Amino acid sequence: MVKNESQKINDLIFKELIRKGHSEKKGSKIWNLADSKLLFCSEEQPQAFFDFEGKSKYQKEIDSQEMNIINNNIKNIKNKIKDKSINIVDLGCGSGKKAAKIIQKLKNFNIRYCPVDINSNLIEAAIDTVRKENPKEVIKMQWIISDFDNIENISKSVRYKEYQKNIFLLLGSTIENLEIHEILYNIRRSMKEGDLLILGNNILTKKPQKILELYKKSATLEQLLINIPKGLGFKEEELEMDIKLKESRIEIYYNLKIDKTIELYGKKIEFKTGDKFLVLLSYKYKKKDLVEILNMYFNEVDMKISEDGSYTLVICKK
Ligand SMILES: C[S@@+](CC[C@H](N)C(=O)[O-])C[C@H]1O[C@@H](n2cnc3c(N)ncnc32)[C@H](O)[C@@H]1O
């Protein structure tokens, strides 16, 4: 039987539940489902993502800060690209709107756009955006539906004929929701001489408590997150959201309000009132922390900061 998209997503959530398992605290189980790919892979995508992008105050702030800082640094980026033919490998492409703007400004280069995302709908959207925003250019495309775990293979597979140089984009503060050391290690391993990583990320300037308030008010984020326990068969009314701040890390849980047994793929799991699902871990970095981490992986780290100090664009070379 061919599985539909929603069954595949539920499989993925269930596999993560089994793979990561649970810990116990005061007699309750804490199930770890904090993985950014689950956050963005809901069946209602890409609409849920676009709603989030369009309505979330936090995300809007990220996007406008990031676009400004990219515009102000496009010359700098161009100067660091030493080849005429390049692959723009857009890691976690989302709607592709940032890559589309960057491509517009790289007129003198031969570009192959390589969107990478766990969500095939978002890849389609990104390709459309890049084509629409660059109607006069003939842009080659090679899209890859994949988890970030596979970056090394992706990086190899896109190097083709004269397109031997990879410019990796990791924008939209995507790294906040990932294991930063794991992804940077994978990117570094995948890079060859002359490749670049362009990273866009928030800088922690506000008190973390203020960021926590933004998360608490975000109904759009809640719409994305609820899909994770729903994918396992829980109903919204059976769950209660709980947001915590641990130093400079945001943790979001759903607490279970009832006892419930879920049976999936021949496996029965008993959940009890008070059990928790950890659905989001978001790490907030101060400038000095981010520089320190990036310097561990790259020989050249050129960090540009927005006027108000709250956003950074970093161009990294191995
Ligand atoms: C915060 S959004 C950023 C989107 C876009 N880069 C931007 O700046 O607007 C994160 C993107 O990464 C994708 N993503 C998250 N985790 C992923 C993973 N583990 N593997 C592949 N894609 C992932 C999501 O589907 C989403 O499109």
Side-chain angles (χ1 to χ4, degrees):
M1 191 179 74
V2 180
K3 288 189 176 176
N4 67 27
E5 201 59 25
S6 113
Q7 281 169 322
K8 281 192 220 152
I9 290 162
N10 295 350
D11 275 8
L12 189 64
I13 299 173
F14 190 67
K15 271 189 203 143
E16 280 298 308
L17 183 91
I18 301 294
R19 192 175 71 84
K20 289 196 176 160
H22 64 268
S23 55
E24 292 215 23
K25 203 175 173 186
K26 293 182 191 155
S28 297
K29 288 183 176 152
I30 304 172
W31 296 88
N32 186 354
L33 286 170
D35 188 315
S36 66
K37 67 173 175 281
L38 302 184
L39 176 66
F40 290 101
C41 73
S42 87
E43 187 192 0
E44 291 82 10
Q45 291 283 28
Q47 200 46 50
F49 177 82
F50 295 141
D51 286 351
F52 177 66
E53 202 177 40
K55 289 186 200 150
S56 155
K57 201 173 157 213
Y58 186 63
Q59 192 61 35
K60 272 184 171 168
E61 219 175 283
I62 289 179
D63 287 348
S64 76
Q65 293 261 23
E66 196 164 54
M67 277 324 301
N68 280 342
I69 197 163
I70 289 173
N71 285 334
N72 295 338
N73 284 288
I74 203 79
K75 230 181 176 173
N76 186 19
I77 295 174
K78 275 185 181 169
N79 289 340
K80 288 185 196 283
I81 304 177
K82 300 291 176 217
D83 288 68
K84 189 133 179 65
S85 301
I86 52 171
N87 296 309
I88 301 274
V89 185
D90 191 2
L91 298 171
C93 59
S95 63
K97 64 181 184 191
K98 291 170 197 158
K101 294 279 180 227
I102 293 177
I103 290 171
Q104 260 180 9
K105 300 209 159 72
L106 296 179
K107 284 243 153 32
N108 299 326
F109 294 88
N110 302 325
I111 290 178
R112 242 160 115 235
Y113 179 53
C114 309
V116 178
D117 209 287
I118 195 70
N119 189 314
S120 59
N121 292 324
L122 289 174
I123 289 192
E124 272 175 38
I127 289 171
D128 272 4
T129 314
V130 166
R131 286 221 165 98
K132 273 190 200 132
E133 299 252 345
N134 297 276
K136 293 195 186 133
E137 309 297 318
V138 182
I139 299 165
K140 295 195 166 94
M141 306 271 176
Q142 182 178 342
W143 57 90
I144 300 126
I145 304 165
S146 169
D147 193 332
F148 294 148
D149 288 352
N150 199 24
I151 290 179
E152 208 178 340
N153 286 332
I154 293 168
S155 180
K156 264 189 214 147
S157 75
V158 297
R159 294 187 207 275
Y160 176 70
K161 290 195 174 165
E162 73 269 34
Y163 293 88
Q164 291 298 323
K165 288 288 141 69
N166 289 344
I167 312 297
F168 295 95
L169 306 181
L170 188 57
L171 300 174
S173 282
T174 299
I175 211 163
E176 283 187 353
N177 301 334
L178 301 171
E179 281 300 330
I180 194 165
H181 290 284
E182 195 178 323
I183 182 121
L184 291 179
Y185 174 77
N186 283 336
I187 294 175
R188 190 205 138 87
R189 267 173 69 109
S190 316
M191 282 171 117
K192 283 194 176 169
E193 207 194 317
D195 288 354
L196 298 178
L197 164 67
I198 302 176
L199 175 80
N201 208 65
N202 267 313
I203 294 279
L204 184 59
T205 48
K206 298 182 181 125
K207 289 215 163 75
Q209 195 62 33
K210 289 210 163 160
I211 299 189
L212 181 72
E213 291 313 313
L214 279 174
Y215 273 78
K216 280 188 174 164
K217 285 187 200 142
S218 177
T220 42
L221 178 65
E222 204 170 337
Q223 275 165 23
L224 281 180
L225 292 171
I226 191 70
N227 289 314
I228 300 176
K230 271 169 92 180
L232 292 173
F234 290 98
K235 299 195 181 104
E236 252 177 280
E237 57 275 20
E238 297 167 348
L239 301 154
E240 191 172 46
M241 200 186 202
D242 183 19
I243 308 188
K244 292 186 188 336
L245 177 70
K246 293 258 173 77
E247 295 180 15
S248 50
R249 186 178 76 201
I250 305 279
E251 297 182 355
I252 305 189
Y253 297 86
Y254 278 102
N255 296 339
L256 193 57
K257 296 200 276 184
I258 51 142
D259 294 349
K260 188 163 180 165
T261 301
I262 299 270
E263 191 169 351
L264 274 170
Y265 316 110
K267 270 203 165 81
K268 245 187 200 175
I269 306 182
E270 280 182 25
F271 297 92
K272 296 272 177 229
T273 309
D275 282 358
K276 292 169 185 289
F277 298 102
L278 173 64
V279 288
L280 187 91
L281 277 179
S282 191
Y283 300 85
K284 309 297 167 191
Y285 300 100
K286 290 190 183 140
K287 183 180 158 198
K288 76 170 188 8
D289 301 331
L290 203 55
V291 171
E292 214 173 278
I293 296 173
L294 289 167
N295 275 321
M296 287 167 66
Y297 296 92
F298 302 101
N299 298 334
E300 198 182 310
V301 174
D302 182 5
M303 184 178 247
K304 307 290 177 196
I305 306 282
S306 64
E307 264 175 36
D308 70 352
S310 71
Y311 210 86
T312 184
L313 189 79
V314 200
I315 309 167
C316 306
K317 253 189 189 176
K318 192 167 169 176

